[in-house]
Amino acid sequence: MVPSKKHPLIYCCLSALYLHNASSFINPKSNVIVPRTSLFSSTEEAAAINNESFIAPLAEIERRRNLAIISHPDSGKTTMTEKLLLYGGALQQAGAVRMKGEQRATQSDFMEMEKARGISISSTVMSFDYNTLHVNILDTPGHQDFSEDTYRALAAADNAVMLLDAAKGLEPQTRKLFEVCRMRSLPLFTFVNKMDRPAMSPYEIMDQIESEFGLETYPILWPIGDGERFKGVLDRMTNVVHLFDRGDRKKKAEVEQVPMEDLDTLKERINDEELFEKLLEDQELLQELIAPLDMERVIAGEQSPLFFGSAMTNFGVQLFLDKFCDMGTKPSGRLAKIKEEVKGKKAKENANNSADDEPDELISPDHGEFSGFVFKTQANLDPKHRDRLAYIRIVSGSFQKGMKVGHSRSKPSKKYNLAQAQTLFGSDRESVEVAYPGDVIGINNPGNFAIGDTLYTGNEMIAFPGIPSFSPEKFAYIRNPNTSTYKSFQKGIDQLLAEGAVQALRQRNDDGGGPLILAAVGQLQFEVVQARLKSEYNVESDLEQIGYNLARWADGGWDAVDKADADGKLFGIMIVQDRWQRPVLLFRNDWKAAGVAEEEKYLDLQPWSKPPMFDV
């Protein structure tokens, strides 16, 4: 699939998220596609490198599915997540994003601000068994101010479902998130939600997706009516109509199944002459005009299975879950950079040679060693214990309680004991002894593990591509107005920065003693930081906004920045550094940034930052 270039900035920013979803890799020396195992010169060498105790059973790999849910705000994403959990047997009663009466709170939105505002602020992972499969659902924030958290969750996903509001079709945030899925070549399912309300024509929605995204759709569930006349859906895979009864929204819907061949019964049950005739017409039209379903194209992200339903009234949710379990891809391999573990002077030389740090080898799920990467960290899931958790997406091998792992940004000799891990269900956790590729587990984070880090076993250092940070658009100094709470304030700031709640910038050569600059995509991120400092760390904070509107990383380095500054090319531009002490330029407008980038090409300005893969 060719990435869309309609949005150049998004195209440039998101290219770093692309992780090839294939079963082989390019050997850089020969440019020949070869399996990973063929690099071993003998079976004895392969046996020596592969620790069979960490190999994941093929049956466990095959039964894993994970799914990220993306949408524009208020498209019903969190409601959809709750209903998937309800039909998956993980909940007895679904919650509502904005609670009324006796409705329970949603499992995925558990922060106080999420409950109060009725929006998702942080991505959430929920795991459950469904029939013979183990399913991981990643509920992501829809609000654009928290889009970085969504990007990170998509880095951990093998499949995604794009949720659309049936009355609105494609919306701005949907378009941005689609670009992420396209860069990742993720198989993308489409669920048109809120069919229980007045909706656009299904054909109009299909045309909108194809014309704007260049993505062909294949209707799996076809709607019968909309709004008050929404009767149910036709399952085009089985040619069976599913008619729904509007019952308790918190419980599973009552469904009646009628084969399309039984026209008399179908006409009687639909009880609407116009809808009945339209169903027959649509069925014939779709058979004649729509290209057949091609699972190879679906897996490549070139064709999207299309579903219609209503999460709020439970119409079509279980059907979608069943179809996803049948059609969704199992865990895929990830490209990584692999280095032999070395020590001393040679280790320093390797660390300084970042030009060779491009991922070029595929780590498949059945690789003989454990590997996984951190895509999210979270503090204070349990406020009583002030814990910190790192969310690990397992790529290969099996996690085993008590195993010792290497860390991509630590010295080769440094090993970490993973004494315990938890499976995740929103804010709830359960201890786990073993986990497999495709699973997301939470491990205690002593403060060493950051977003984008790789954990691994074996004698080779493995690093998956880091998850990039994108250009913020809001900047503010944050200060502690009460010196007596310095330690609590610093602890809160450090942990929230580690989560990626916001980015942090400092003046050049500031080792931590100077004023801290918070950088965010949107204003709501600042509000979340201040609210969490107050509620979780009991400290106040003052923000002082800075009049800059975007950031660019100067990949040309400090020498290039000094040259441009000495030549008077950076007048009115603020020069700061990121967490890796790399130069960042803050601009007041796009025009100025574009001008400097064009005239001073040696600065090599980038709208995103790529963290180092190794830091030994």
Side-chain angles (χ1 to χ4, degrees):
M1 177 169 56
V2 179
S4 170
K5 296 188 179 180
K6 289 184 179 179
H7 309 285
L9 177 59
I10 296 175
Y11 180 86
C12 177
C13 291
L14 301 181
S15 62
L17 278 178
Y18 178 74
L19 299 173
H20 198 348
N21 181 14
S23 59
S24 57
F25 73 97
I26 302 294
N27 185 335
K29 295 183 179 180
S30 63
N31 289 326
V32 177
I33 299 179
V34 294
R36 172 81 174 104
T37 53
S38 71
L39 296 183
F40 298 124
S41 59
S42 66
T43 56
E44 291 79 6
E45 183 180 352
I49 294 177
N50 286 340
N51 182 347
E52 293 186 1
S53 64
F54 291 122
I55 295 177
L58 183 60
E60 293 294 343
I61 298 173
E62 294 282 349
R63 78 183 198 95
R64 257 61 186 177
R65 301 288 186 277
N66 67 37
L67 177 70
I69 305 179
I70 62 171
S71 76
H72 190 83
D74 296 324
S75 295
K77 177 178 51 56
T78 298
T79 303
M80 180 68 170
T81 302
E82 291 288 302
K83 297 307 173 72
L84 288 173
L85 298 176
L86 175 68
Y87 282 99
L91 292 179
Q92 296 301 312
Q93 177 178 304
V97 177
R98 292 179 176 87
M99 291 181 289
K100 295 182 179 180
E102 296 181 353
Q103 283 184 311
R104 55 173 291 279
T106 61
Q107 190 70 35
S108 55
D109 286 349
F110 54 83
M111 287 185 185
E112 291 304 319
M113 284 191 70
E114 290 178 316
K115 296 175 184 177
R117 292 176 180 259
I119 61 173
S120 297
I121 289 173
S122 175
S123 58
T124 311
V125 181
M126 284 148 292
S127 304
F128 59 91
D129 286 321
Y130 183 65
N131 296 330
T132 61
L133 299 181
H134 184 74
V135 181
N136 295 289
I137 301 290
L138 293 94
D139 180 28
T140 65
H143 198 288
Q144 63 180 4
D145 286 9
F146 307 106
S147 55
E148 275 203 294
D149 206 55
T150 301
Y151 298 149
R152 297 177 196 127
L154 286 170
D158 291 308
N159 306 271
V161 57
M162 176 172 63
L163 206 65
L164 304 181
D165 186 323
K168 300 175 182 177
L170 298 180
E171 298 179 84
Q173 188 67 2
T174 314
R175 294 179 173 93
K176 291 180 182 179
L177 295 174
F178 170 79
E179 293 290 346
V180 185
C181 295
R182 169 157 272 173
M183 295 304 296
R184 284 280 334 277
S185 291
L186 285 176
L188 183 66
F189 298 79
T190 303
F191 189 97
V192 181
N193 194 26
K194 301 187 178 182
M195 288 300 300
D196 58 314
R197 302 179 185 181
M200 296 169 59
S201 160
Y203 295 106
E204 187 177 357
I205 292 175
M206 291 172 63
D207 182 65
Q208 194 178 53
I209 294 172
E210 184 160 359
S211 61
E212 290 201 34
F213 292 162
L215 178 66
E216 183 182 295
T217 59
Y218 182 87
I220 302 290
L221 301 183
W222 188 257
I224 305 171
D226 62 66
E228 291 295 324
R229 297 175 68 196
F230 182 46
K231 302 292 185 178
V233 295
L234 164 64
D235 183 346
R236 296 186 62 237
M237 305 297 287
T238 61
N239 216 28
V240 172
V241 171
H242 296 253
L243 301 172
F244 299 93
D245 179 36
R246 295 172 182 264
D248 190 339
R249 293 185 174 186
K250 295 178 289 183
K251 299 180 180 178
K252 297 180 180 180
E254 297 293 329
V255 182
E256 180 181 4
Q257 300 182 30
V258 181
M260 276 297 295
E261 294 80 6
D262 192 351
L263 295 179
D264 292 338
T265 302
L266 192 58
K267 184 175 183 179
E268 177 187 348
R269 294 292 189 268
I270 291 177
N271 195 27
D272 187 313
E273 183 72 24
E274 181 183 358
L275 290 182
F276 175 71
E277 293 297 334
K278 190 171 189 323
L279 173 62
L280 298 182
E281 179 184 334
D282 286 344
Q283 182 195 29
E284 183 177 355
L285 193 62
L286 291 171
Q287 287 176 343
E288 293 178 357
L289 299 181
I290 301 298
L293 181 67
D294 184 340
M295 285 308 302
E296 288 188 2
R297 296 184 64 208
V298 171
I299 292 172
E302 298 172 354
Q303 187 182 50
S304 178
L306 178 63
F307 302 79
F308 292 84
S310 168
M312 182 61 73
T313 56
N314 303 325
F315 287 12
V317 177
Q318 185 168 19
L319 285 171
F320 169 77
L321 179 59
D322 289 338
K323 302 298 184 186
F324 164 71
C325 288
D326 289 339
M327 302 168 67
T329 61
K330 64 183 181 181
S332 58
R334 303 293 173 107
L335 284 174
K337 185 66 182 178
I338 299 179
K339 292 184 177 182
E340 181 184 355
E341 286 194 351
V342 293
K343 302 178 182 180
K345 183 178 179 180
K346 189 174 181 181
K348 292 183 179 180
E349 291 174 355
N350 287 349
N352 292 330
N353 185 17
S354 58
D356 197 32
D357 278 354
E358 288 300 320
D360 55 12
E361 299 190 21
L362 186 106
I363 305 296
S364 62
D366 58 357
H367 179 56
E369 297 288 353
F370 167 86
S371 67
F373 62 90
V374 180
F375 70 92
K376 175 183 174 66
T377 63
Q378 181 85 43
N380 304 323
L381 278 173
D382 184 352
K384 295 180 181 179
H385 296 94
R386 297 294 183 195
D387 59 346
R388 285 198 288 179
L389 211 63
Y391 289 60
I392 309 293
R393 159 60 202 267
I394 300 177
V395 176
S396 69
S398 59
F399 163 83
Q400 298 174 17
K401 182 178 179 180
M403 69 191 306
K404 295 185 183 297
V405 298
H407 176 227
S408 58
R409 291 189 304 103
S410 295
K411 294 181 179 180
S413 58
K414 177 67 175 177
K415 301 297 179 183
Y416 294 87
N417 181 27
L418 303 186
Q420 59 180 347
Q422 295 91 30
T423 54
L424 305 161
F425 194 75
S427 61
D428 299 333
R429 293 172 288 173
E430 183 177 332
S431 181
V432 62
E433 300 284 331
V434 64
Y436 303 104
D439 283 343
V440 173
I441 59 174
I443 62 172
N444 291 333
N445 185 4
N448 304 87
F449 306 145
I451 293 169
D453 288 354
T454 300
L455 303 181
Y456 61 90
T457 61
N459 296 322
E460 294 178 315
M461 298 179 65
I462 297 175
F464 297 106
I467 301 174
S469 298
F470 298 96
S471 176
E473 299 175 2
K474 303 286 184 181
F475 306 89
Y477 288 111
I478 187 166
R479 296 183 175 91
N480 176 20
N482 188 347
T483 56
S484 64
T485 60
Y486 171 79
K487 287 187 177 180
S488 296
F489 177 84
Q490 197 60 47
K491 179 180 179 180
I493 285 292
D494 289 344
Q495 293 192 357
L496 292 176
L497 290 178
E499 287 184 23
V502 288
Q503 297 179 46
L505 301 171
R506 292 187 180 275
Q507 298 288 349
R508 184 176 182 178
N509 297 323
D510 181 0
D511 59 359
L516 178 66
I517 302 172
L518 299 187
V521 174
Q523 184 64 32
L524 268 178
Q525 288 180 271
F526 290 151
E527 296 179 24
V528 168
V529 168
Q530 289 192 288
R532 291 187 62 187
L533 284 173
K534 178 63 177 175
S535 64
E536 297 176 20
Y537 301 94
N538 196 30
V539 294
E540 301 288 347
S541 59
D542 290 335
L543 278 180
E544 179 189 346
Q545 298 277 352
I546 307 175
Y548 295 91
N549 295 321
L550 77 160
R552 291 292 182 265
W553 279 263
D555 279 6
W558 284 111
D559 289 343
V561 171
D562 289 340
K563 172 179 168 29
D565 195 24
D567 292 344
K569 304 298 185 181
L570 302 183
F571 180 77
I573 299 169
M574 189 172 183
I575 304 172
V576 294
Q577 66 182 25
D578 67 4
R579 59 176 295 194
W580 309 107
Q581 290 80 50
R582 299 177 299 193
V584 183
L585 306 183
L586 305 187
F587 296 87
R588 298 188 186 275
N589 53 61
D590 291 329
W591 174 82
K592 181 67 172 178
V596 173
E598 178 64 26
E599 295 173 10
E600 318 301 325
K601 295 184 183 298
Y602 57 87
L603 286 170
D604 193 11
L605 298 184
Q606 300 292 339
W608 49 270
S609 71
K610 183 179 178 182
M613 297 177 69
F614 296 100
D615 185 26
V616 296

